[in-house]
Short mmCIF file of all heavy atoms in Angstrom, two decimals:
data_model
loop_
_atom_site.label_atom_id
_atom_site.label_comp_id
_atom_site.label_asym_id
_atom_site.label_seq_id
_atom_site.Cartn_x
_atom_site.Cartn_y
_atom_site.Cartn_z
N ALA O 262 -7.41 -5.90 5.56
CA ALA O 262 -6.56 -4.98 4.77
C ALA O 262 -5.75 -5.83 3.81
O ALA O 262 -5.17 -6.79 4.16
CB ALA O 262 -5.65 -4.20 5.73
N SER O 263 -5.62 -5.39 2.63
CA SER O 263 -5.00 -6.21 1.66
C SER O 263 -3.85 -5.40 1.04
O SER O 263 -3.90 -4.19 0.96
CB SER O 263 -5.94 -6.69 0.56
OG SER O 263 -6.51 -5.52 -0.16
N ALA O 264 -2.90 -6.12 0.53
CA ALA O 264 -1.80 -5.56 -0.20
C ALA O 264 -2.19 -5.23 -1.57
O ALA O 264 -3.16 -5.80 -2.12
CB ALA O 264 -0.59 -6.49 -0.20
N ALA O 265 -1.43 -4.29 -2.21
CA ALA O 265 -1.67 -4.04 -3.64
C ALA O 265 -1.14 -5.30 -4.38
O ALA O 265 -0.20 -5.94 -3.98
CB ALA O 265 -0.84 -2.79 -4.02
N ASN O 282 3.70 -7.28 -4.46
CA ASN O 282 2.55 -7.13 -3.60
C ASN O 282 2.85 -6.22 -2.36
O ASN O 282 2.77 -6.70 -1.23
CB ASN O 282 1.97 -8.47 -3.13
CG ASN O 282 1.56 -9.30 -4.30
OD1 ASN O 282 1.19 -8.81 -5.43
ND2 ASN O 282 1.65 -10.62 -4.19
N PRO O 283 3.20 -4.96 -2.66
CA PRO O 283 3.55 -4.09 -1.51
C PRO O 283 2.41 -3.91 -0.54
O PRO O 283 1.23 -3.82 -0.94
CB PRO O 283 3.90 -2.79 -2.17
CG PRO O 283 3.41 -2.83 -3.58
CD PRO O 283 3.27 -4.24 -3.87
N THR O 284 2.72 -3.92 0.76
CA THR O 284 1.70 -3.91 1.80
C THR O 284 1.38 -2.46 2.20
O THR O 284 2.21 -1.54 2.06
CB THR O 284 2.15 -4.64 3.02
OG1 THR O 284 3.36 -4.11 3.50
CG2 THR O 284 2.33 -6.13 2.72
N GLY O 285 0.18 -2.26 2.69
CA GLY O 285 -0.28 -0.92 3.12
C GLY O 285 0.54 -0.46 4.26
O GLY O 285 0.93 -1.21 5.14
N ARG O 286 0.77 0.87 4.28
CA ARG O 286 1.44 1.56 5.33
C ARG O 286 2.91 1.18 5.48
O ARG O 286 3.55 1.52 6.45
CB ARG O 286 0.78 1.36 6.68
CG ARG O 286 -0.61 2.00 6.63
CD ARG O 286 -1.22 2.07 8.00
NE ARG O 286 -2.51 2.65 7.96
CZ ARG O 286 -3.31 2.80 9.01
NH1 ARG O 286 -2.86 2.51 10.20
NH2 ARG O 286 -4.50 3.29 8.89
N THR O 287 3.49 0.46 4.51
CA THR O 287 4.96 0.23 4.51
C THR O 287 5.60 1.32 3.72
O THR O 287 5.17 1.64 2.60
CB THR O 287 5.25 -1.17 3.91
OG1 THR O 287 4.61 -2.14 4.71
CG2 THR O 287 6.74 -1.42 3.95
N CYS O 288 6.64 1.94 4.25
CA CYS O 288 7.37 2.97 3.58
C CYS O 288 8.41 2.45 2.66
O CYS O 288 9.32 1.75 3.17
CB CYS O 288 7.98 3.94 4.69
SG CYS O 288 8.77 5.35 3.98
N TYR O 289 8.35 2.70 1.39
CA TYR O 289 9.33 2.28 0.42
C TYR O 289 10.11 3.49 0.06
O TYR O 289 9.78 4.29 -0.87
CB TYR O 289 8.69 1.63 -0.77
CG TYR O 289 7.89 0.37 -0.45
CD1 TYR O 289 6.55 0.44 -0.15
CD2 TYR O 289 8.56 -0.84 -0.36
CE1 TYR O 289 5.80 -0.70 0.17
CE2 TYR O 289 7.89 -1.99 -0.07
CZ TYR O 289 6.47 -1.94 0.25
OH TYR O 289 5.77 -3.08 0.61
N ALA O 290 11.24 3.73 0.76
CA ALA O 290 11.99 4.97 0.68
C ALA O 290 13.24 4.82 -0.24
O ALA O 290 13.85 3.74 -0.37
CB ALA O 290 12.48 5.41 2.04
N GLN O 306 -3.20 -0.66 -7.46
CA GLN O 306 -3.61 0.42 -6.60
C GLN O 306 -2.65 1.61 -6.67
O GLN O 306 -1.49 1.43 -6.86
CB GLN O 306 -3.74 -0.05 -5.16
CG GLN O 306 -4.68 -1.10 -4.93
CD GLN O 306 -4.65 -1.57 -3.38
OE1 GLN O 306 -4.18 -0.88 -2.59
NE2 GLN O 306 -5.26 -2.76 -3.21
N PRO O 307 -3.20 2.84 -6.53
CA PRO O 307 -2.32 4.01 -6.51
C PRO O 307 -1.64 4.07 -5.08
O PRO O 307 -2.10 3.51 -4.14
CB PRO O 307 -3.28 5.18 -6.66
CG PRO O 307 -4.57 4.68 -6.11
CD PRO O 307 -4.60 3.20 -6.45
N SER O 308 -0.53 4.79 -5.04
CA SER O 308 0.21 4.99 -3.81
C SER O 308 0.44 6.51 -3.67
O SER O 308 0.19 7.32 -4.55
CB SER O 308 1.54 4.30 -3.85
OG SER O 308 2.41 4.84 -4.83
N TYR O 309 0.92 6.91 -2.47
CA TYR O 309 1.22 8.34 -2.19
C TYR O 309 2.69 8.54 -2.30
O TYR O 309 3.47 7.67 -1.90
CB TYR O 309 0.74 8.72 -0.76
CG TYR O 309 -0.71 8.69 -0.61
CD1 TYR O 309 -1.33 7.83 0.27
CD2 TYR O 309 -1.50 9.69 -1.19
CE1 TYR O 309 -2.72 7.76 0.48
CE2 TYR O 309 -2.90 9.70 -1.06
CZ TYR O 309 -3.45 8.74 -0.15
OH TYR O 309 -4.84 8.80 0.03
N THR O 311 5.77 10.57 -0.87
CA THR O 311 6.02 11.30 0.42
C THR O 311 7.50 11.58 0.60
O THR O 311 8.31 11.31 -0.31
CB THR O 311 5.59 10.39 1.58
OG1 THR O 311 6.46 9.29 1.70
CG2 THR O 311 4.16 9.92 1.44
N LYS O 314 10.60 9.65 5.06
CA LYS O 314 10.05 9.01 6.31
C LYS O 314 8.54 8.65 6.23
O LYS O 314 8.02 8.18 7.18
CB LYS O 314 10.34 9.83 7.51
CG LYS O 314 11.86 10.05 7.76
CD LYS O 314 12.14 10.57 9.18
CE LYS O 314 13.57 10.92 9.39
NZ LYS O 314 14.51 10.03 9.15
N CYS O 315 8.03 8.90 5.01
CA CYS O 315 6.56 8.63 4.82
C CYS O 315 5.72 9.39 5.78
O CYS O 315 4.67 8.85 6.21
CB CYS O 315 6.33 7.12 4.77
SG CYS O 315 6.96 6.29 3.33
N ARG O 316 6.12 10.60 6.09
CA ARG O 316 5.28 11.44 7.00
C ARG O 316 4.53 12.54 6.35
O ARG O 316 3.39 12.85 6.72
CB ARG O 316 6.16 12.03 8.12
CG ARG O 316 6.73 11.01 9.05
CD ARG O 316 7.49 11.70 10.14
NE ARG O 316 8.14 10.64 10.91
CZ ARG O 316 9.28 10.90 11.62
NH1 ARG O 316 9.82 12.06 11.61
NH2 ARG O 316 9.86 9.92 12.30
N VAL O 339 7.43 6.20 -1.38
CA VAL O 339 6.06 5.88 -1.72
C VAL O 339 5.49 4.99 -0.58
O VAL O 339 6.16 4.22 0.04
CB VAL O 339 5.82 5.23 -3.06
CG1 VAL O 339 6.23 6.16 -4.12
CG2 VAL O 339 6.53 3.92 -3.19
N VAL O 340 4.18 5.18 -0.35
CA VAL O 340 3.47 4.38 0.60
C VAL O 340 2.09 4.13 0.11
O VAL O 340 1.41 4.95 -0.54
CB VAL O 340 3.45 5.09 2.02
CG1 VAL O 340 2.73 6.36 1.99
CG2 VAL O 340 2.92 4.17 3.12
N TRP O 341 1.50 2.94 0.38
CA TRP O 341 0.13 2.59 -0.02
C TRP O 341 -0.73 2.85 1.20
O TRP O 341 -0.40 2.48 2.33
CB TRP O 341 0.04 1.11 -0.38
CG TRP O 341 0.26 0.87 -1.90
CD1 TRP O 341 -0.74 0.82 -2.84
CD2 TRP O 341 1.51 0.87 -2.54
NE1 TRP O 341 -0.13 0.66 -4.04
CE2 TRP O 341 1.21 0.70 -3.92
CE3 TRP O 341 2.79 1.01 -2.23
CZ2 TRP O 341 2.16 0.63 -4.92
CZ3 TRP O 341 3.82 0.92 -3.20
CH2 TRP O 341 3.50 0.70 -4.49
N PRO O 342 -1.96 3.43 0.93
CA PRO O 342 -2.86 3.55 2.04
C PRO O 342 -3.29 2.18 2.44
O PRO O 342 -3.28 1.21 1.68
CB PRO O 342 -4.02 4.33 1.45
CG PRO O 342 -3.89 4.21 0.01
CD PRO O 342 -2.41 3.90 -0.31
N SER O 343 -3.73 2.00 3.72
CA SER O 343 -4.18 0.69 4.15
C SER O 343 -5.55 0.27 3.62
O SER O 343 -6.24 1.11 3.14
CB SER O 343 -4.18 0.65 5.68
OG SER O 343 -5.10 1.64 6.18
#
Side-chain angles (χ1 to χ4, degrees):
S263 60
N282 299 332
T284 58
R286 296 191 181 181
T287 300
C288 186
Y289 297 94
Q306 296 179 18
S308 64
Y309 293 113
T311 68
K314 299 196 186 303
C315 289
R316 292 185 187 152
V339 295
V340 63
W341 269 262
S343 59

